[in-house]
Amino acid sequence: MMITTKTQTGAGTFIKNLYSLRLWGICFFVSVVGLTGCATAPVVGNIEDTLSDEEDAPFTVEGRLATKIQQDAVSATFSWSHDNVTHNRDEILLSSPLGTMIAKIQRFDENIKLYRGEKDISVFSLEDGGKAFDHALGFPLPIRELPYWLRGMASPDSPADITHDDINRIATLNQEGWSITYVYGAANRLPDRITAQYGDNALRIKIDRWGR
């Protein structure tokens, strides 16, 4: 079930920002495809082993994403703070490539809130969490599984088909109908680039920075 409150001003601003995201999306989607595999994702401190080995370790991550649904492409920058150990929460900030905040998604336990302005708030259950991304980006993403997939791990909540590279990192992952491919920098344990496909819909992620 979803509860939504809106103001005309907030809705107009959101539509304008989403249009801007789509204009940038086509260029960014192509640029991510063309990135070479030699770049490495900057890492804060010695967290590679912690985030790649501990099943649900707290983390922060910053990066860029691009979605493509048929002929429609959208791009955004994102920052994600995940902590299921101390606070059982997630906070995701989505911004336009020029830095304008598009939306904020917050999860506390089983509840999710989507903010697109001070008075434009939508509420979802965790089971319907993908709708928060759908309303923000026009692309549903599974908020329960993403914290694992971002770190090159399968979610423990459902079966998965996995292949590994020559140093035992996950190279491909098929889970919940998604087909995911990873590219790593040098000997990094955490992914540098992620490509995910769900039917005809495609998602590409470029990680810029890991932290905790």
Coordinates of all heavy atoms in Angstrom, one line a residue, residues 71-139:
Q71 N 13.5 2.9 -25.2 CA 14.2 4.0 -25.8 C 14.5 5.2 -24.8 O 15.1 6.2 -25.1 CB 13.5 4.6 -27.0 CG 13.4 3.6 -28.2 CD 14.7 3.0 -28.6 OE1 15.7 3.7 -28.8 NE2 14.7 1.6 -28.7
D72 N 14.0 5.0 -23.6 CA 14.0 6.1 -22.6 C 15.2 5.8 -21.6 O 15.3 4.8 -21.0 CB 12.7 6.1 -21.8 CG 12.5 7.4 -21.1 OD1 13.4 8.4 -21.3 OD2 11.6 7.6 -20.3
A73 N 16.1 6.8 -21.5 CA 17.3 6.7 -20.6 C 17.3 7.8 -19.6 O 16.9 8.9 -19.9 CB 18.6 6.8 -21.5
V74 N 17.6 7.4 -18.4 CA 17.7 8.4 -17.3 C 19.0 8.1 -16.5 O 19.5 7.0 -16.4 CB 16.5 8.1 -16.3 CG1 16.7 9.0 -15.0 CG2 15.2 8.4 -16.9
S75 N 19.7 9.2 -16.1 CA 20.9 9.1 -15.4 C 20.8 9.9 -14.1 O 20.1 10.9 -14.0 CB 22.1 9.5 -16.2 OG 22.1 10.9 -16.4
A76 N 21.6 9.5 -13.1 CA 21.7 10.2 -11.8 C 22.9 9.9 -11.1 O 23.6 8.9 -11.4 CB 20.5 9.9 -11.0
T77 N 23.3 10.8 -10.2 CA 24.4 10.4 -9.2 C 23.7 9.9 -8.0 O 22.5 10.3 -7.7 CB 25.3 11.6 -8.9 OG1 24.5 12.6 -8.3 CG2 25.9 12.1 -10.2
F78 N 24.4 9.1 -7.2 CA 23.7 8.6 -5.9 C 24.7 8.5 -4.8 O 26.0 8.3 -5.1 CB 23.1 7.2 -6.2 CG 24.1 6.1 -6.4 CD1 24.5 5.3 -5.3 CD2 24.6 5.8 -7.6 CE1 25.4 4.3 -5.4 CE2 25.5 4.8 -7.8 CZ 25.9 4.0 -6.7
S79 N 24.3 8.6 -3.6 CA 25.0 8.2 -2.4 C 24.1 7.4 -1.6 O 22.9 7.6 -1.4 CB 25.5 9.5 -1.7 OG 24.4 10.2 -1.1
W80 N 24.7 6.3 -1.0 CA 23.9 5.3 -0.3 C 24.6 5.0 1.0 O 25.8 4.7 1.1 CB 23.8 4.0 -1.1 CG 22.8 3.0 -0.6 CD1 22.7 2.6 0.7 CD2 21.9 2.2 -1.4 NE1 21.7 1.6 0.8 CE2 21.2 1.3 -0.4 CE3 21.6 2.1 -2.7 CZ2 20.3 0.4 -0.9 CZ3 20.7 1.2 -3.1 CH2 20.0 0.4 -2.2
S81 N 23.8 5.2 2.1 CA 24.3 4.8 3.5 C 23.5 3.6 3.9 O 22.3 3.7 4.0 CB 24.2 6.0 4.4 OG 24.5 5.6 5.7
H82 N 24.2 2.5 4.2 CA 23.5 1.3 4.6 C 24.0 0.8 6.0 O 25.2 0.7 6.2 CB 23.7 0.2 3.6 CG 23.2 -1.2 4.0 ND1 21.9 -1.6 3.9 CD2 23.9 -2.3 4.5 CE1 21.8 -2.8 4.3 NE2 23.0 -3.3 4.7
D83 N 23.1 0.5 6.9 CA 23.4 0.0 8.2 C 22.3 -0.9 8.7 O 21.3 -0.4 9.3 CB 23.7 1.2 9.2 CG 24.2 0.7 10.5 OD1 24.2 -0.5 10.8 OD2 24.6 1.5 11.4
N84 N 22.5 -2.2 8.6 CA 21.5 -3.1 9.1 C 21.9 -3.7 10.5 O 21.2 -4.5 11.0 CB 21.3 -4.3 8.1 CG 20.0 -4.2 7.4 OD1 19.3 -3.2 7.5 ND2 19.6 -5.3 6.7
V85 N 23.1 -3.3 11.0 CA 23.6 -3.8 12.2 C 23.2 -3.0 13.4 O 22.7 -3.5 14.4 CB 25.2 -3.9 12.1 CG1 25.7 -4.4 13.5 CG2 25.6 -4.9 11.0
T86 N 23.5 -1.6 13.3 CA 23.2 -0.7 14.4 C 21.8 -0.1 14.4 O 21.1 0.0 15.4 CB 24.3 0.4 14.5 OG1 25.6 -0.2 14.5 CG2 24.1 1.2 15.7
H87 N 21.4 0.4 13.2 CA 20.2 1.1 13.1 C 19.1 0.5 12.2 O 18.0 1.0 12.1 CB 20.5 2.5 12.5 CG 21.5 3.3 13.4 ND1 21.2 3.7 14.6 CD2 22.8 3.7 13.1 CE1 22.3 4.4 15.1 NE2 23.2 4.3 14.2
N88 N 19.5 -0.5 11.4 CA 18.5 -1.2 10.5 C 17.9 -0.2 9.6 O 16.7 0.0 9.5 CB 17.4 -1.9 11.3 CG 16.7 -3.0 10.4 OD1 17.3 -3.4 9.4 ND2 15.6 -3.4 10.8
R89 N 18.8 0.5 8.8 CA 18.3 1.6 8.0 C 19.1 1.7 6.7 O 20.2 1.2 6.6 CB 18.4 3.0 8.7 CG 19.8 3.4 9.1 CD 19.9 4.7 9.8 NE 19.5 5.8 8.9 CZ 20.4 6.4 8.1 NH1 21.7 6.0 8.0 NH2 20.1 7.4 7.3
D90 N 18.5 2.4 5.7 CA 19.2 2.8 4.5 C 18.7 4.2 4.2 O 17.6 4.6 4.4 CB 18.7 1.9 3.3 CG 19.3 0.5 3.3 OD1 20.5 0.3 2.9 OD2 18.6 -0.4 3.7
E91 N 19.7 5.0 3.6 CA 19.3 6.3 3.1 C 20.0 6.5 1.7 O 21.2 6.3 1.6 CB 19.7 7.4 4.0 CG 19.4 8.8 3.5 CD 19.5 9.9 4.5 OE1 18.7 9.9 5.5 OE2 20.5 10.7 4.4
I92 N 19.2 6.7 0.7 CA 19.7 6.9 -0.7 C 19.4 8.3 -1.2 O 18.2 8.7 -1.1 CB 19.2 5.9 -1.6 CG1 19.4 4.4 -1.1 CG2 19.8 6.0 -3.0 CD1 18.2 3.7 -0.7
L93 N 20.4 9.1 -1.6 CA 20.2 10.4 -2.2 C 20.4 10.3 -3.7 O 21.5 9.8 -4.1 CB 21.1 11.4 -1.6 CG 21.0 11.7 -0.1 CD1 22.0 12.7 0.4 CD2 19.6 12.1 0.3
L94 N 19.4 10.7 -4.5 CA 19.5 10.7 -5.9 C 19.6 12.2 -6.4 O 18.7 12.9 -6.0 CB 18.4 10.0 -6.5 CG 18.2 8.5 -6.1 CD1 16.9 8.0 -6.6 CD2 19.3 7.7 -6.7
S95 N 20.6 12.5 -7.2 CA 20.7 13.8 -7.7 C 20.9 13.8 -9.2 O 21.3 12.8 -9.8 CB 21.9 14.5 -7.1 OG 21.8 14.5 -5.7
S96 N 20.6 15.0 -9.8 CA 20.9 15.1 -11.3 C 22.4 15.2 -11.5 O 23.1 15.5 -10.6 CB 20.2 16.4 -11.8 OG 20.9 17.5 -11.4
P97 N 22.8 15.0 -12.7 CA 24.3 15.1 -13.0 C 24.8 16.5 -12.7 O 26.0 16.7 -12.5 CB 24.4 14.9 -14.5 CG 23.2 13.9 -14.8 CD 22.1 14.5 -13.9
L98 N 23.9 17.5 -12.6 CA 24.4 18.9 -12.2 C 24.3 19.1 -10.7 O 24.6 20.2 -10.2 CB 23.5 19.9 -12.9 CG 23.7 20.0 -14.4 CD1 22.7 21.0 -15.1 CD2 25.1 20.3 -14.8
G99 N 23.9 18.1 -9.9 CA 23.9 18.2 -8.5 C 22.6 18.6 -7.8 O 22.5 18.7 -6.6
T100 N 21.5 18.8 -8.6 CA 20.2 19.1 -8.0 C 19.6 17.8 -7.4 O 19.6 16.8 -8.1 CB 19.3 19.6 -9.0 OG1 19.8 20.8 -9.6 CG2 17.9 20.0 -8.4
M101 N 19.2 17.9 -6.1 CA 18.6 16.7 -5.5 C 17.3 16.3 -6.2 O 16.4 17.2 -6.3 CB 18.4 16.9 -4.0 CG 18.1 15.5 -3.3 SD 17.7 15.7 -1.6 CE 15.9 15.9 -1.7
I102 N 17.1 15.1 -6.6 CA 15.9 14.6 -7.3 C 15.0 14.0 -6.3 O 13.8 14.2 -6.2 CB 16.2 13.6 -8.4 CG1 17.1 14.3 -9.5 CG2 15.0 13.1 -9.0 CD1 16.5 15.6 -10.1
A103 N 15.6 13.1 -5.4 CA 14.8 12.4 -4.4 C 15.7 11.8 -3.3 O 16.9 11.7 -3.5 CB 14.0 11.2 -5.1
K104 N 15.0 11.6 -2.2 CA 15.7 10.9 -1.1 C 14.8 9.7 -0.7 O 13.6 9.8 -0.5 CB 15.9 11.8 0.1 CG 16.5 11.1 1.3 CD 16.9 12.1 2.4 CE 15.8 12.8 3.0 NZ 16.1 13.7 4.2
I105 N 15.4 8.5 -0.6 CA 14.7 7.3 -0.2 C 15.3 6.9 1.2 O 16.5 6.7 1.4 CB 14.9 6.2 -1.2 CG1 14.3 6.6 -2.5 CG2 14.2 4.9 -0.7 CD1 14.6 5.7 -3.7
Q106 N 14.4 6.7 2.2 CA 14.8 6.3 3.5 C 14.1 5.0 3.9 O 12.9 4.9 3.7 CB 14.5 7.4 4.5 CG 15.4 8.6 4.5 CD 15.1 9.6 5.6 OE1 14.0 9.7 6.1 NE2 16.1 10.3 6.0
R107 N 14.9 4.1 4.4 CA 14.3 2.8 4.9 C 14.6 2.7 6.4 O 15.7 2.8 6.8 CB 14.8 1.6 4.2 CG 14.2 0.3 4.8 CD 14.9 -1.0 4.3 NE 16.3 -1.0 4.8 CZ 16.6 -1.5 6.0 NH1 15.7 -2.0 6.8 NH2 17.9 -1.6 6.3
F108 N 13.6 2.5 7.2 CA 13.7 2.2 8.6 C 13.0 0.9 8.9 O 11.7 0.9 8.7 CB 13.2 3.3 9.5 CG 14.0 4.6 9.5 CD1 13.7 5.6 8.7 CD2 15.2 4.7 10.2 CE1 14.4 6.8 8.6 CE2 16.0 5.9 10.1 CZ 15.6 6.9 9.3
D109 N 13.7 -0.1 9.2 CA 13.0 -1.5 9.4 C 12.3 -1.8 8.1 O 12.8 -1.9 7.1 CB 12.2 -1.5 10.6 CG 13.0 -1.2 11.9 OD1 14.1 -1.8 12.0 OD2 12.5 -0.5 12.8
E110 N 11.0 -2.0 8.3 CA 10.1 -2.5 7.1 C 9.4 -1.3 6.4 O 8.6 -1.6 5.5 CB 9.1 -3.5 7.6 CG 9.6 -4.7 8.3 CD 10.4 -5.6 7.3 OE1 9.8 -5.9 6.3 OE2 11.5 -6.0 7.7
N111 N 9.7 -0.1 6.7 CA 9.1 1.1 6.1 C 10.0 1.9 5.3 O 11.1 2.1 5.6 CB 8.5 1.9 7.2 CG 7.5 1.2 8.1 OD1 6.6 0.6 7.6 ND2 7.7 1.2 9.4
I112 N 9.5 2.4 4.2 CA 10.3 3.2 3.2 C 9.5 4.5 2.9 O 8.3 4.4 2.7 CB 10.5 2.4 1.9 CG1 11.3 1.1 2.2 CG2 11.2 3.3 0.9 CD1 11.5 0.2 1.0
K113 N 10.3 5.5 2.9 CA 9.7 6.8 2.6 C 10.5 7.4 1.4 O 11.7 7.3 1.4 CB 9.8 7.8 3.7 CG 8.8 7.5 4.9 CD 8.8 8.6 5.9 CE 7.8 8.3 7.0 NZ 7.8 9.4 8.1
L114 N 9.8 8.0 0.4 CA 10.4 8.6 -0.7 C 10.0 10.1 -0.6 O 8.9 10.5 -0.5 CB 9.8 8.1 -2.0 CG 10.1 8.9 -3.3 CD1 11.6 8.9 -3.6 CD2 9.3 8.3 -4.5
Y115 N 11.1 11.0 -0.6 CA 10.9 12.4 -0.5 C 11.3 13.0 -1.9 O 12.4 12.8 -2.4 CB 11.8 13.0 0.6 CG 11.5 12.5 2.0 CD1 12.1 11.3 2.5 CD2 10.7 13.2 2.8 CE1 11.9 10.9 3.7 CE2 10.5 12.8 4.1 CZ 11.0 11.6 4.6 OH 10.8 11.2 5.9
R116 N 10.4 13.8 -2.4 CA 10.7 14.6 -3.6 C 10.4 16.0 -3.4 O 10.0 16.8 -4.3 CB 9.9 14.0 -4.8 CG 10.3 12.6 -5.2 CD 9.4 12.1 -6.3 NE 8.0 11.9 -5.9 CZ 7.1 11.3 -6.6 NH1 7.4 10.7 -7.7 NH2 5.8 11.2 -6.1
G117 N 10.6 16.5 -2.2 CA 10.4 17.8 -1.8 C 9.9 17.8 -0.4 O 9.5 16.7 0.2
E118 N 9.8 18.9 0.3 CA 9.4 19.0 1.7 C 8.0 18.4 1.9 O 7.7 17.8 3.0 CB 9.5 20.4 2.2 CG 10.9 21.0 2.3 CD 10.9 22.4 2.9 OE1 9.9 22.8 3.3 OE2 12.0 23.0 3.0
K119 N 7.1 18.6 1.0 CA 5.7 18.2 1.2 C 5.3 17.1 0.2 O 4.1 16.8 0.1 CB 4.8 19.4 1.1 CG 5.0 20.4 2.2 CD 4.1 21.6 2.1 CE 4.3 22.6 3.1 NZ 3.4 23.8 3.1
D120 N 6.2 16.6 -0.6 CA 5.9 15.5 -1.5 C 6.5 14.2 -1.0 O 7.7 13.9 -1.2 CB 6.4 15.9 -2.9 CG 6.0 14.9 -4.0 OD1 5.3 13.9 -3.6 OD2 6.3 15.1 -5.2
I121 N 5.7 13.4 -0.2 CA 6.2 12.3 0.5 C 5.4 11.1 0.1 O 4.1 11.1 0.2 CB 6.3 12.5 2.0 CG1 7.1 13.7 2.3 CG2 6.8 11.2 2.7 CD1 7.0 14.1 3.8
S122 N 6.0 10.0 -0.3 CA 5.3 8.7 -0.5 C 5.8 7.7 0.5 O 7.0 7.6 0.8 CB 5.5 8.2 -2.0 OG 5.1 9.2 -2.9
V123 N 4.9 6.8 0.9 CA 5.3 5.8 1.9 C 5.0 4.4 1.3 O 4.0 4.2 0.7 CB 4.5 6.0 3.2 CG1 4.9 4.9 4.2 CG2 4.7 7.4 3.8
F124 N 6.0 3.5 1.5 CA 5.9 2.1 0.9 C 6.3 1.1 2.0 O 7.0 1.4 3.0 CB 6.8 1.9 -0.2 CG 6.7 2.9 -1.3 CD1 7.4 4.1 -1.3 CD2 5.9 2.7 -2.4 CE1 7.3 5.1 -2.3 CE2 5.7 3.6 -3.5 CZ 6.4 4.8 -3.4
S125 N 5.8 -0.1 1.8 CA 6.3 -1.2 2.6 C 7.6 -1.7 2.0 O 7.9 -1.4 0.8 CB 5.3 -2.3 2.7 OG 5.1 -2.9 1.4
L126 N 8.4 -2.5 2.8 CA 9.6 -3.0 2.2 C 9.4 -3.9 1.0 O 10.2 -3.9 0.1 CB 10.4 -3.8 3.3 CG 11.8 -4.3 3.0 CD1 12.7 -3.2 2.5 CD2 12.4 -5.1 4.1
E127 N 8.3 -4.7 1.1 CA 7.9 -5.6 0.0 C 7.7 -4.8 -1.3 O 7.9 -5.3 -2.4 CB 6.7 -6.4 0.3 CG 6.9 -7.4 1.4 CD 7.9 -8.4 1.0 OE1 8.0 -8.9 -0.2 OE2 8.7 -8.8 1.9
D128 N 7.2 -3.5 -1.2 CA 7.0 -2.7 -2.4 C 8.1 -1.7 -2.6 O 7.9 -0.7 -3.2 CB 5.6 -2.0 -2.2 CG 4.5 -2.9 -2.3 OD1 4.6 -3.9 -3.0 OD2 3.4 -2.6 -1.7
G129 N 9.3 -2.0 -2.0 CA 10.3 -1.0 -2.0 C 10.8 -0.6 -3.4 O 11.3 0.6 -3.6
G130 N 10.7 -1.5 -4.4 CA 11.1 -1.2 -5.7 C 10.3 0.0 -6.3 O 10.8 0.7 -7.2
K131 N 9.1 0.2 -5.8 CA 8.3 1.3 -6.3 C 8.8 2.7 -6.0 O 8.6 3.6 -6.6 CB 6.8 1.2 -5.8 CG 6.1 0.0 -6.3 CD 4.7 -0.1 -5.7 CE 3.9 -1.3 -6.2 NZ 2.6 -1.4 -5.6
A132 N 9.6 2.7 -4.9 CA 10.2 4.0 -4.5 C 11.2 4.4 -5.6 O 11.2 5.6 -6.0 CB 11.0 3.9 -3.2
F133 N 12.0 3.5 -6.1 CA 12.9 3.8 -7.2 C 12.1 4.1 -8.5 O 12.5 5.0 -9.3 CB 13.9 2.7 -7.4 CG 15.0 2.6 -6.4 CD1 15.0 1.7 -5.4 CD2 16.1 3.5 -6.5 CE1 16.0 1.6 -4.5 CE2 17.2 3.4 -5.6 CZ 17.1 2.5 -4.6
D134 N 11.1 3.4 -8.7 CA 10.3 3.6 -9.9 C 9.7 5.0 -9.9 O 9.7 5.7 -10.9 CB 9.1 2.5 -9.9 CG 8.5 2.4 -11.3 OD1 9.0 3.0 -12.2 OD2 7.4 1.7 -11.4
H135 N 9.2 5.5 -8.8 CA 8.7 6.8 -8.7 C 9.8 7.9 -8.8 O 9.5 9.0 -9.3 CB 7.9 7.0 -7.4 CG 6.5 6.4 -7.4 ND1 5.4 7.1 -7.2 CD2 6.1 5.1 -7.5 CE1 4.3 6.3 -7.3 NE2 4.8 5.1 -7.4
A136 N 11.0 7.5 -8.4 CA 12.1 8.5 -8.4 C 12.7 8.5 -9.8 O 13.1 9.6 -10.2 CB 13.1 8.2 -7.3
L137 N 12.9 7.4 -10.4 CA 13.7 7.3 -11.6 C 13.0 6.7 -12.8 O 13.5 6.7 -13.9 CB 15.0 6.4 -11.4 CG 16.0 6.9 -10.4 CD1 17.1 5.9 -10.1 CD2 16.7 8.2 -10.9
G138 N 11.7 6.2 -12.5 CA 11.0 5.6 -13.6 C 11.5 4.2 -13.9 O 11.4 3.6 -14.9
F139 N 12.2 3.6 -12.8 CA 12.8 2.3 -13.0 C 12.8 1.6 -11.6 O 13.4 2.0 -10.7 CB 14.3 2.4 -13.4 CG 15.0 1.2 -13.9 CD1 15.0 0.9 -15.3 CD2 15.6 0.3 -13.0 CE1 15.7 -0.3 -15.7 CE2 16.2 -0.8 -13.5 CZ 16.2 -1.1 -14.8

